[in-house]
Amino acid sequence: MPARSRRPSRIPGEAWIDEVIQYIRTNLQGDLSLAALAQAGCSSPWHLHRNFKQQTGLTPQQFVRQQRIRLAEQLLLETTSSVATVGGQAGFHGTAHFMNCFRKEAGCTPVQFRKQKLAEAAQRR
């Protein structure tokens, strides 16, 4: 009898998508391609994409981008690091790509975001 591969069993119901979400949140700087996420979730890319979108309303890549932008926003406010450094720390490959994604998600550039939020914080003091 051939040896079976020892893949972890899939968690029933929607809980396995929650595990993929947790994997994304803890690995924002790593490879979060659909294939990598499917492997982490012990699923096929197609099955992951379909179920993830049903549960969250976003595709896996939209969710990854959203989480990376949230991390970048936090880093922009808590550090004095350059935009390029913040983009890299948030998992983006290339400053131009980071700035385009940030502008689409936040509605402004990272520099504008930082200035606006710091000015708002100073007014509250």
Side-chain angles (χ1 to χ4, degrees), residues 3-4 8 16 18 20 36 39 41-42 46 58 63 66 68 70 72 88-89 91 97 103 106-107 109 120:
R4 288 188 163 186
W16 73 279
D18 293 334
V20 172
Q39 184 175 9
C42 300
W46 181 86
L58 299 169
F63 184 80
Q66 181 186 71
R68 285 179 169 163
R70 286 185 182 158
Q89 290 174 333
H97 178 64
R103 188 179 299 116
T109 67
E120 289 173 6

Side-chain angles (χ1 to χ4, degrees), residues 1-80:
M1 184 146 105
R4 288 188 163 186
S5 120
R6 300 192 102 196
R7 276 180 78 145
S9 61
R10 185 176 304 138
I11 299 166
E14 297 175 348
W16 73 279
I17 295 293
D18 293 334
E19 292 221 349
V20 172
I21 288 171
Q22 186 59 35
Y23 178 83
I24 290 169
R25 289 183 173 146
T26 58
N27 294 285
L28 283 174
Q29 295 174 333
D31 175 20
L32 295 176
S33 64
L34 187 58
L37 294 176
Q39 184 175 9
C42 300
S43 174
S44 72
W46 181 86
H47 187 70
L48 171 64
H49 189 276
R50 180 175 176 269
N51 286 283
F52 197 97
K53 181 142 184 166
Q54 281 179 339
Q55 185 170 330
T56 66
L58 299 169
T59 67
Q61 290 316 111
Q62 288 170 330
F63 184 80
V64 167
R65 187 170 30 256
Q66 181 186 71
Q67 294 301 302
R68 285 179 169 163
I69 294 298
R70 286 185 182 158
L71 175 58
E73 288 174 345
Q74 180 182 346
L75 292 170
L76 286 166
L77 298 178
E78 295 175 357
T79 70
T80 58

